[in-house]
Amino acid sequence: MHTTAEKAPVQTQQVNNLADQIAVQADRVARNPGDEKAWVTLGNLYFDTHQHEKSIEAYGRALEINPNNPNVLTDKGVMHRSLGEYQKALECFAKAIAIDPGHETARMNTGVVLFHDMGDKAGAIKAWQELLRVNPQATNAEGTPVADMLRQMGEEPVSKGAGPRLLAPGGGS
């Protein structure tokens, strides 16, 4: 899976492990529950420590403040996938794509869930072909070009008649 989660910054010299960073961010959101950035950071920390439910909760709080953050939606989707909640993961990825049609990570992850978790090869192929329309050079998390993945599956990388689109700035990572 691709993720947009960034490593949480170390706040002070004493904050030298993830548990300490989580405590700092939990205190920060307790003091200021409207701090979107703190909720995202807390969600990322829970993400990094495989605390899936807590990560989903923190991302949900961030999305209450700013529902139009495709990166947070994508990371929330990855956490839903980790819990086996594939439909919820796909819903998160679809919302991210609706907000930012050039969001490559959400498009890639849509195909991953469809193919690997739901056994929907045709749906995955369609998602990855759409990804190639956004970025013909797209790769998976291991660095394999998506076009090569599709060829290995016996499919054309991009549907006939569809030209590539330029990736919009800020399309996630």
Side-chain angles (χ1 to χ4, degrees):
M1 291 294 287
H2 281 238
T3 180
T4 61
E6 298 175 13
K7 294 289 181 193
V10 175
Q11 300 293 323
T12 67
Q13 292 286 347
Q14 294 101 350
V15 181
N16 56 12
N17 65 48
L18 292 175
D20 289 343
Q21 292 179 48
I22 288 170
V24 167
Q25 292 305 315
D27 181 62
R28 187 172 163 194
V29 298
R31 286 185 281 112
N32 186 2
D35 186 341
E36 175 192 2
K37 184 176 178 182
W39 282 113
V40 172
T41 300
L42 185 60
N44 291 344
L45 287 163
Y46 287 139
F47 185 113
D48 291 344
T49 56
H50 308 285
Q51 298 182 63
H52 311 302
E53 294 93 350
K54 288 182 178 182
S55 182
I56 289 168
E57 182 181 333
Y59 288 147
R61 294 294 298 268
L63 290 166
E64 287 173 10
I65 299 163
N66 177 11
N68 295 319
N69 187 326
N71 292 336
V72 173
L73 282 162
T74 300
D75 290 341
K76 185 178 178 190
V78 171
M79 291 290 91
H80 279 298
R81 180 192 188 227
S82 296
L83 294 173
E85 298 171 343
Y86 307 127
Q87 193 58 48
K88 287 182 180 180
L90 291 173
E91 290 167 9
C92 287
F93 301 147
K95 287 178 187 176
I97 293 165
I99 292 165
D100 179 2
H103 201 283
E104 293 181 40
T105 304
R107 290 184 178 280
M108 182 68 197
N109 290 346
T110 297
V112 169
V113 169
L114 288 170
F115 186 75
H116 293 286
D117 302 321
M118 300 182 82
D120 182 356
K121 181 179 176 182
I125 289 167
K126 180 180 176 189
W128 291 330
Q129 287 174 333
E130 290 295 322
L131 171 58
L132 290 177
R133 285 187 188 94
V134 170
N135 177 7
Q137 305 304 314
T139 61
N140 68 12
E142 291 78 33
T144 303
V146 173
D148 290 351
M149 290 171 32
L150 289 171
R151 282 187 201 98
Q152 290 172 1
M153 297 170 78
E155 296 297 323
E156 290 295 315
V158 178
S159 299
K160 293 179 181 170
R165 288 189 356 208
L166 295 177
L167 176 64
S173 58

